[in-house]
Amino acid sequence: MPADPAADLLLITSASGKQASTLLPLLSGWKNLRLAVKSSASKERLQQQHPHAEVIQTDLYSPSNCASLLKGVNVVIHVGPSYHPHEAALGKMMIDAAVTEYQNGQGTLRHFILSSVLNSQLSKMMNHDCKKEVEEYIMESGLPYTILQPSTMMDNIPIGMLAQQESPVFKAAWSTDLKFSMLALKDLAAVMKTVLEEREKHFYAQYPLTSTNTPLTFGDAMSVISKKLGKEVKIEHLQYKDAVNGLLIRLYGTTEGVDPRSKDAAQRMVLFYDNRGLIGNSNVLEWVLGRKALQFDEWVQRKLEENKKTS
């Protein structure tokens, strides 16, 4: 049976992150939400934005905390924290807690949706390798699951900032010549909502998710943005150390006190992307949604229009 938004209890982890923040506005019909966050600031913000939700500040790296979060849950969307030094172990704890709630089909849990990464087989990247390990664990768990595998996000490009600059410069963390298949967060959120609410139709599926029908380089992307803005966006290819630090700052707000293992993961990803890129196919996403995916030029146009409305 499909999900019942009026009755089912939905748990979302990393609920203050980009994926959940784009999904939550689509879930107005869901009456029972449990949102897991790490910081008190995130808890306060989400509680204001979603007053009907149960917002829980917790550390997922704890079997007892995971068990408490999953208690009575019917469906979970688990988004693991990027570059966490214990991401694989944390994902396994969540799955173990879900198995307890599932009780071989006799318990409350009905569906475990795992947000992973495109081409998780690429084990040279530590964040991919961790997610591949969690994918294997859930496949062997006996749970009814769906694995979503998003590509690199268009939304990581600071279109608003570039639009405001008189002489815009995009600081690229990796090669401007290698091609990437990009995903719009709005497309990812729409897939999550579809999988969440259709439920059984998507059991035991793995969905590689990318929006762009044709891969593009940062050079291609900045050319599109330049045309939309009516001014040239120049590209600065960051030095390796600066690129790594930029990723860490985007995630943690600082490079100070970051676990060395998290830094290792960022370093490996920059090296891989700088030499190989990341390529996928948009067919699966379009099949799940029953519509065309959002292309990069469309995404740029929408972002610019959104910026005008809020400025």
Side-chain angles (χ1 to χ4, degrees):
M1 294 177 61
D4 183 356
D8 287 348
L9 174 57
L10 166 62
L11 167 65
I12 303 176
T13 63
S14 299
S16 64
K18 290 182 178 180
Q19 294 187 39
S21 295
T22 310
L23 171 65
L24 282 168
L26 306 182
L27 302 182
S28 59
W30 282 78
K31 306 303 180 185
N32 304 295
L33 294 176
R34 182 175 293 167
L35 308 178
V37 297
K38 182 67 181 292
S39 71
S40 57
S42 293
K43 179 179 180 180
E44 182 178 351
R45 177 173 57 82
L46 282 184
Q47 199 68 80
Q48 291 177 350
Q49 293 173 343
H50 308 282
H52 68 292
E54 178 188 12
V55 184
I56 299 176
Q57 181 184 354
T58 188
D59 183 355
L60 294 184
Y61 189 51
S62 159
S64 60
N65 288 354
C66 291
S68 178
L69 277 178
L70 266 295
K71 195 69 177 176
V73 165
N74 303 112
V75 55
V76 54
I77 299 176
H78 175 58
V79 183
S82 297
Y83 305 154
H84 193 288
H86 303 295
E87 183 179 354
L90 186 153
K92 291 178 180 181
M93 289 178 195
M94 284 292 295
I95 292 167
D96 286 342
V99 168
T100 299
E101 289 301 305
Y102 182 58
Q103 296 176 14
N104 295 316
Q106 302 305 308
T108 59
L109 192 79
R110 293 289 176 265
H111 193 191
F112 194 116
I113 301 170
L114 174 67
S115 179
S116 183
V117 68
L118 183 71
N119 298 343
S120 58
Q121 304 93 329
L122 298 172
S123 59
K124 292 181 178 65
M125 288 184 280
M126 294 172 67
N127 58 323
H128 281 234
D129 204 33
C130 285
K131 288 178 171 65
K132 179 181 67 175
E133 193 174 335
V134 178
E135 287 182 0
E136 180 181 21
Y137 200 73
I138 200 169
M139 289 176 187
E140 296 175 346
S141 69
L143 293 171
Y145 67 83
T146 308
I147 299 172
L148 306 180
Q149 299 169 319
S151 184
T152 185
M153 304 293 182
M154 298 178 190
D155 301 74
N156 290 332
I157 296 175
I159 185 73
M161 183 186 73
L162 295 174
Q164 292 172 4
Q165 294 175 345
E166 185 176 339
S167 301
V169 178
F170 175 69
K171 296 183 178 182
W174 39 77
S175 173
T176 60
D177 300 318
L178 290 175
K179 292 185 179 296
F180 286 79
S181 295
M182 297 186 184
L183 175 65
L185 270 172
K186 287 186 180 294
D187 280 348
L188 174 59
V191 168
M192 284 181 163
K193 182 177 187 292
T194 298
V195 169
L196 170 65
E197 296 184 350
E198 292 182 348
R199 189 168 285 174
E200 282 94 340
K201 181 179 179 180
H202 305 283
F203 281 179
Y204 315 114
Q206 303 173 65
Y207 293 151
L209 299 174
T210 180
S211 296
T212 48
N213 301 145
T214 302
L216 66 163
T217 67
F218 273 145
D220 297 330
M222 292 310 115
S223 177
V224 170
I225 295 174
S226 295
K227 290 178 183 178
K228 296 288 185 181
L229 293 179
K231 54 186 175 183
E232 181 185 4
V233 179
K234 296 182 179 179
I235 303 177
E236 176 188 346
H237 187 177
L238 293 173
Q239 295 295 314
Y240 173 67
K241 182 178 179 180
D242 293 332
V244 171
N245 287 340
L247 284 180
L248 295 175
I249 290 170
R250 193 171 76 199
L251 281 172
Y252 302 108
T254 181
T255 58
E256 298 297 322
V258 175
D259 191 296
R261 292 165 293 185
S262 298
K263 189 172 183 178
D264 288 343
Q267 290 172 334
R268 297 273 192 95
M269 195 183 83
V270 169
L271 283 173
F272 190 94
Y273 280 7
D274 198 41
N275 287 278
R276 293 181 180 271
L278 187 68
I279 301 296
N281 187 290
S282 61
N283 285 349
V284 169
L285 182 143
E286 294 183 337
W287 170 76
V288 172
L289 293 184
R291 63 164 172 82
K292 291 294 184 181
L294 188 64
Q295 297 307 297
F296 187 76
D297 60 336
E298 297 171 321
W299 174 81
V300 172
Q301 186 63 41
R302 289 191 185 187
K303 283 294 181 181
L304 292 176
E305 290 171 358
E306 289 172 7
N307 289 339
K308 285 181 181 179
K309 290 178 182 178
T310 57
S311 61

